[in-house]
Amino acid sequence: MTQLVRMFVIVFVVSFGLIYLTSYLNDSEGYSGSNTLTIYNWGDYVDPELLDRFEDETGIKVIYQTFDSNEAMMTKIGQGGTTFDVSIPSEYAISKMKEDGLLLKLDHSKLPNLKYIDPRFMNLSFDPDNAYSIPYFWGTVGIVFNPELVGDLTFSSWNDLWDKSLRNQILLLDGAREVMGMGLNSLGYSLNDTEEAHLQEAKAKLLQMTPNVKAIVGDEIKMLLANEEAAVGLVWSGDASEIMDENDKLDYIVPEEGSNLWFDNMVIPKTAKNIEGAHQFINFMLDPEVAAQNAEYVGYSTPNEAALALLPEEIASDERFYPDEELTERLEVYDNLGKRMLAHYNELFLEFKMHKK
Ligand code: SPD
């Protein structure tokens, strides 16, 4: 009898241990609970001091993970098995994630600081009424260049990047939409073009640029350009601002044919475990003083009107990073092109990358 009880206890303890272990492993990629908050953000896209401050103010422990493209982020969240509480996709990804049922509706009553966002960045077509997403940063895509390293060359058009004098001098950000968009825009096509002949033409034109391309890189593009390892870069405006902070010889332009106007917004994925904490975090990031500190740290443009008023004048009035409506109106926002077309853009970009290697 005692033997039977002992066996029963052993079976009970082992089963309990297995259940606990399974649940720990399931949650370990983005573990969240009421006292933790898992954030899934782009690399180099928040002032770490603010995460510490959020932890101190709320007692919630932040677990922080990063991604380097909307595509990687969507795949990971879409596959399930993660419990990210807050993520920061761009507009076309938000539209796609909504379509795929991957996002939770936000409770605006828990976001009183939303009043600080400039109305110009609210209620945009990818998320009417901001039901699922809250503005974080915005910007453009353009060319950063070092006038001392490019001779007499000036930059106003995408086509300047094909100039023979730039051999091995260009760094490209590692983004399918951005690089394909550059090829399409340089031919006078929309960066949301889906016509196969135009896409093939854009890829062929990009292939002609490969002698000029030194590398296709991630966040290290900032360090490489600031250290003058290359003369020119295809970059997001916020990265240009950070590069120019490090090396004031460089300049940034948005090509005259047009380019991309993008918006990165905070969302709560459907699989979130700490929905209350996620709202607390979003509201914290909307606080004007917090948003201003964050914008100054990462170098990107804030959509927070009250935060903008707190930024040093030389930042807030720099039209390269806070362009007026005249410029933004001639730029294009990426459309959600749908799963198949998005995959096709990625394939073409990959073919270009393979050719480069
Ligand atoms: N290092 C932070 C990069 C964030 C860039 N987001 C821009 C996305 C444009 N589609």
Side-chain angles (χ1 to χ4, degrees), residues 40-42 67-79 84 87-90 93-94 97 102-103 267 269:
Y40 193 35
N41 193 3
W42 295 84
F67 56 84
D68 56 14
S69 72
N70 282 300
E71 287 65 31
M73 177 272 309
M74 283 193 280
T75 305
K76 191 148 189 171
I77 293 183
Q79 276 166 348
F84 299 120
S87 190
I88 308 189
S90 309
I94 291 169
M97 291 170 91
L102 294 178
L103 301 181
V267 299

Side-chain angles (χ1 to χ4, degrees), residues 135-151:
Y136 184 67
F137 283 123
W138 68 284
T140 57
V141 170
I143 301 172
V144 72
F145 63 98
N146 186 332
E148 288 186 2
L149 301 180
V150 294

